[in-house]
Amino acid sequence: MLHAAGPLLTVDVGERTATETEIEDLLENYVGGRALATALAHDRIPFDADPFGPENRAYLSTGPLQQSAMSFTGRMNMTGLSPLTDGLVSTNAGGYLSRNFVDAGISVLEVVGESDELLAVHVTDSGVEFEEVPELEGATVPETSDYMEAEHDLGPEHCIAIGPAGENLVRFASVMTFDSRAFGRGGLGAVLGAKNVKCVTFEGDAAPELEVEIPDPPESEIHREAATSDDRMRRQGTTGGTEFINDNFSLPTRYFRDYEFEDVEGIGGNAVEEKKYKKGACSACAYACKLPTRDEETGLETEGPEFETVYSFGSLQGVGDVVDVMKSNELCDRLGMDTISAGVAVAAYLDSEDEFGNADLAHEITEKIAYREGIGDLLAEGVDRCHDDLGVDNYTVKGMEFAAHDGRVLHGQGLSYAVANRGADHMYASMLSLEYSGELDPEGTLGKAETLVEQENYAAFRDSGVVCAFGSDYVTDERLETLFDADYDELLEVGARTVTLERHFNNQRGFDRADDDLPYEIPDLEEAVAEYYDARGWTADGTVPDSRAPESAPADD
Ligand code: SF4
């Protein structure tokens, strides 16, 4: 099977050492991206690690397709122990980093330890340098990029960076690349912040040679189809479905009090497209679905908002003006926070104050979260930890704030939120697509477990390839088989091993059946979760049996 190439690079920022380890066996079994990083994390992060402790490890990894010229491959994966969920999380981001990362000659970076000074780490094909950067303390993400450009001639396409939120250990701080693309979910920005790592740069000219050639076609066909598509998504990005989702009563509104938003047109796809002023893409991707937007009246510029931000800072807060949502989006990117978790936390606060629709207050609170000022200090802990103090319901699963796509309406998606190792995230399994399209009846949970398992396995493989989730109409199952020189079932098996590793790790930290739950009622959830465990071959308590315990990754040199 096609897989990424190149060694694991371990950077200990406490000891200021860099070590390369050959991981060929692991690459053969785990391909790259999320699967590879999960296998490493499972065996190298102690099960009792503190997410903010030096023993936690953050992984940045590519798949083999990041060495191709094919569309839908502009993304990379990050994995680590989450300060938000207390379990393993993986999250992926687009932008232009992946090719520069590959050129540094590695398949995966591992960051461990804790520096006593704020650091920039420079990874090149000829070694690793550690630079103390006290002048960047408190710097925003663009200020950090400007510094790297001025001092090292490295643009934001060479960097991952954290903002003030990461430094201040906001539990949903993101790691940013290209200034506007977020490794958003699960707080890995705070993991880097705890390690005192402000920024990591990548450059070189030493892409590892792939043992298996990426076939051509379908690579060129996929690229051509991406370039000539007239999908609405190419114009409006993920916001193109906002009105449709609202019409399906799946757009949570006013902190989950309602299912549809009366001002949806003010924040939906057409409103966003009106503000779009140029095309935006990720490396190698001709589909170019990104959304550079500008408000001529105020001069505000940002990239996005994407649909999930339109939900979290729009409908969920009762805010119906796209410029207000753009402002929230720009704040989160600049300060380095996941727009979903931050938006849900702000919505919870607006609910507690009876201030739905107050966009100015939302912006003020968003900034306070990043700097942990006043009420922001409480909200920076995430809704699971602060809802009692606010006096609002706890709309999280495993500590992760909900994405849109309301599980109270899309019951299969609700089941997915309940059992996902990552918590209430929409990218863990796309039951929502099947339920929106009618391929699966949105009503009911029973009999959906097998489909859910396949969807989870597919997503885990896709995040390992790494293939963009928005390319599934082009990078079809058959084309995946050709690209990876493997049967579809073999690809799903990589995904299955990944999900099992995540579950096994989380089990060792105490996660079990009690954590696979929802804060609201959907039909037959208990039986459906049992069906899911059965389909996975796990115990009735939601744990991985010893007989299926995963194999070991290589130890530290
Ligand atoms: S489809 Fe969009 S998000 Fe995906 S790689 Fe292409 S430009 Fe990036």
Side-chain angles (χ1 to χ4, degrees), residues 70-75 93-96 181 226 233 237-238 280-290 306 467-471:
M70 189 181 93
S71 288
F72 307 108
T73 62
R75 300 186 78 90
Y96 293 85
R181 312 296 174 84
M233 185 157 168
T238 49
C282 302
S283 44
C285 189
Y287 194 68
C289 75
K290 305 312 290 181
E306 295 291 348
V467 182
C468 178
F470 307 134

Side-chain angles (χ1 to χ4, degrees), residues 28 47 162 175 212 214 365 457 517 541:
E28 281 174 13
F47 292 138
I162 62 168
V175 176
V212 184
I214 296 171
I365 296 300
N457 294 349
D517 207 355
D541 200 31

